[in-house]
Amino acid sequence: MKHFREIVEKHFKLDIGRRTRNHDYVFARACYFKLCREIGGYGYARIGKTLSINHATVMHGLKKALPAILMHDNFKKREHDRLLNKFEHYNKIK
């Protein structure tokens, strides 16, 4: 999971562990949650523990925040897709 975090932070140029509700941070954290959950197969509690947050926050980020952001913000959608493409390329090499 450390690898996922490093790539997300480098991609968005943010510290996703920072305690803020700023839209950019919320989005970057939600992308991190998605990578950990879908590619890494980690549980909500384990993902949350890496950022010192509750499992319910991880669930909310994945089920509500991320879909809403992707539906309404085309720029964020493109950033999200670019980030996922990095991992698809990584998985093909593995």
Side-chain angles (χ1 to χ4, degrees):
M1 290 195 322
K2 183 179 178 183
H3 181 67
F4 292 142
R5 182 174 178 170
E6 289 170 355
I7 290 176
V8 169
E9 289 181 337
K10 184 176 180 180
H11 181 81
F12 292 108
K13 298 176 180 77
L14 299 171
D15 174 11
I16 61 172
R18 185 172 171 216
R19 297 268 219 203
T20 179
R21 292 182 183 176
N22 177 284
H23 187 68
D24 293 332
Y25 286 85
V26 170
F27 176 64
R29 280 192 296 264
C31 289
Y32 168 71
F33 300 157
K34 183 174 181 173
L35 292 172
C36 288
R37 185 83 174 140
E38 293 183 3
I39 295 174
Y42 298 106
Y44 298 120
R46 188 162 179 198
I47 296 167
K49 190 177 266 192
T50 64
L51 298 176
S52 300
I53 57 174
N54 187 301
H55 75 282
T57 305
V58 175
M59 291 174 70
H60 176 77
L62 288 170
K63 295 182 181 192
K64 300 288 183 181
L66 186 60
I69 292 168
L70 295 177
M71 186 183 339
H72 297 290
D73 190 331
N74 289 329
F75 177 76
K76 297 270 194 249
K77 172 80 171 118
R78 285 191 300 274
E79 284 297 310
H80 171 266
D81 293 344
R82 254 186 243 135
L83 179 64
L84 290 183
N85 284 336
K86 288 180 182 180
F87 283 92
E88 286 177 12
H89 177 70
Y90 173 76
N91 285 337
K92 287 178 186 174
I93 293 171
K94 266 176 75 175

